[in-house]
Amino acid sequence: MANKILLLISNRQEDQDFAGEVATVAGLSLTCCPDPKIGVEKIAAEEPAVILVDGETQESYLAFEAAIQEKIGLFSEKVNPNFIHFISTEGLEKVQYLIQSPLFGHFILRTFKDNAKEAGQHYGKIVKAIVEDKIFGLENFFKPGTKVQSVKLVVTSQKPDAVEAVKNYLMAAKFQSRIATVISNAVDELLMNAMFDAPVDNLGKPQFSLTSRATVIKLEGKSGVEMKIAYDGKYIGISVIDQFGSLDKAKLMSHISKIYRDEEYKVKSTAAGAGIGLATVFRSGGSFFFASEAQERTEVTVYFKRSENFREFKDQFRFLSTQFKF
């Protein structure tokens, strides 16, 4: 059983400041180690609940992977990817070695040099939910008392109204029009994915991958789609939930790495559960949390911090996290 330890493998002060806040919010004790080999020895001996690793360069990552392979084994329960968080100053398109790694679970963009405390407090809520195995439910990622509104969609033709409702909500909360448009476009993609890309038959074959997105389909029973929205005055989170649990991690990460480099917005709809415009949303300041329980449900949440201007909005702290249950 994992101990209540957050192990940071990094020699950067900003990472230590960030990890300290994460640990505090998540109710963990922080252990810092600058050397990957020694860090892996601590993983083997102490079984920390959370592992943060500096993945800035391929060389540093390979040193970490080699130590894992030698001391523990890449597929040991002690190195579950659900609990490994890589930190990098470089964007997703430049860290393919992380995305393609069997150890990959979470990506943190190191944009917190000047706001490590605030970023750590925000990400700490994500880590706390993961440690406590509360990965489903938007309320788990916000401070207690934050109001969560829910909308259940019963037919695909409701999507435009749902997206417009989100935009109106944002405008009422004093988000700039351009920012509100970016966020509502992200929600449009999430809903499109849940309605058309996530549904699979009993054999796991996509049901609507070749269906026109203009087709009106009833969202009944297992096909039901739910949207939730929460705003605490600083961060907004919007979740879209489907009941199929068809998100495939390998395909998702493959498309993320490919599309992030080569295409402007769409992820190919033929990858079940991956049809979201991740590249543009992430580059525009959004963070993602993918939670999927095989054949049961997938909940994709996008987060944005309210900002005074678009430049600040685009440069905000962000992350991409995944949690898969089988």
Side-chain angles (χ1 to χ4, degrees), residues 4-59:
K4 293 181 71 64
I5 298 170
L6 187 157
L7 174 64
L8 170 68
I9 303 176
S10 172
N11 61 4
R12 294 172 180 251
Q13 185 60 51
E14 63 263 42
D15 291 354
Q16 294 177 24
D17 295 340
F18 172 76
E21 291 296 329
V22 172
T24 298
V25 173
L28 304 171
S29 61
L30 176 64
T31 296
C32 297
C33 180
D35 183 85
K37 291 184 178 180
I38 297 176
V40 170
E41 290 176 359
K42 289 184 177 293
I43 294 172
E46 301 176 13
E47 298 188 43
V50 178
I51 304 164
L52 270 62
V53 184
D54 182 358
E56 180 74 6
T57 67
Q58 187 167 7
E59 181 181 6

Side-chain angles (χ1 to χ4, degrees), residues 141-322:
F141 304 102
F142 284 82
K143 60 186 179 183
T146 301
K147 184 177 181 180
V148 178
Q149 300 186 44
S150 176
V151 177
K152 292 186 178 180
L153 290 85
V154 297
V155 65
T156 55
S157 57
Q158 286 182 285
K159 181 178 69 67
D161 290 338
V163 173
E164 186 64 22
V166 169
K167 188 171 184 178
N168 292 337
Y169 179 98
L170 294 166
M171 296 298 289
K174 307 301 182 182
F175 280 73
Q176 285 189 358
S177 177
R178 184 181 179 187
I179 293 173
T181 297
V182 169
I183 297 174
S184 57
N185 284 344
V187 174
D188 188 295
E189 288 296 317
L190 293 179
L191 289 171
M192 189 76 77
N193 174 68
M195 292 173 176
F196 290 96
D197 297 319
V200 295
D201 62 20
N202 292 334
L203 298 177
K205 182 179 179 180
Q207 296 181 2
F208 305 120
S209 61
L210 301 179
T211 301
S212 168
R213 280 13 184 187
T215 304
V216 176
I217 300 172
K218 290 185 178 180
L219 305 174
E220 300 175 328
K222 193 173 180 65
S223 295
V225 172
E226 185 176 10
M227 179 180 73
K228 293 184 177 182
I229 183 168
Y231 177 53
D232 63 6
K234 181 176 291 185
Y235 290 94
I236 188 163
I238 304 169
S239 297
V240 173
I241 304 108
D242 70 69
Q243 305 302 317
F244 287 93
S246 61
L247 190 65
D248 183 286
K249 184 177 180 179
K251 289 182 179 179
L252 173 64
M253 300 317 300
S254 174
H255 280 286
I256 287 173
S257 61
K258 180 180 179 182
I259 304 302
Y260 198 91
R261 294 194 310 270
D262 300 331
E263 293 183 27
E264 185 63 22
Y265 201 71
K266 300 289 184 179
V267 176
K268 292 182 180 178
S269 62
T270 51
I276 63 170
L278 175 62
T280 292
V281 175
F282 191 83
R283 281 181 292 189
S284 298
S287 293
F288 283 95
F289 186 83
F290 295 89
S292 187
E293 185 174 2
Q295 301 179 357
E296 292 292 332
R297 57 182 167 173
T298 295
E299 185 168 325
V300 182
T301 303
V302 61
Y303 302 89
F304 294 90
K305 180 184 175 184
R306 184 181 179 277
S307 305
E308 294 301 322
N309 56 70
F310 194 78
R311 181 176 180 178
E312 179 183 312
F313 177 78
K314 186 177 180 181
D315 293 339
Q316 67 182 270
F317 165 70
R318 53 195 185 272
F319 58 87
L320 185 152
S321 294
T322 66

Side-chain angles (χ1 to χ4, degrees), residues 70-126:
E70 179 183 352
K71 296 289 184 180
I72 303 174
L74 285 176
F75 302 101
S76 167
E77 291 183 356
K78 293 184 179 181
V79 287
N80 186 333
N82 281 344
F83 303 104
I84 299 178
H85 306 246
F86 289 105
I87 309 173
S88 176
T89 307
E90 301 291 348
L92 282 170
E93 78 281 12
K94 295 183 179 180
V95 290
Q96 302 303 307
Y97 53 89
L98 294 181
I99 291 175
Q100 296 165 6
S101 166
L103 301 173
F104 180 84
H106 310 266
F107 173 79
I108 303 169
L109 189 62
R110 190 184 281 112
T111 53
F112 49 72
K113 183 176 181 180
D114 297 323
N115 63 340
K117 183 174 182 178
E118 180 182 319
Q121 290 174 350
H122 177 45
Y123 197 67
K125 296 183 180 70
I126 304 296

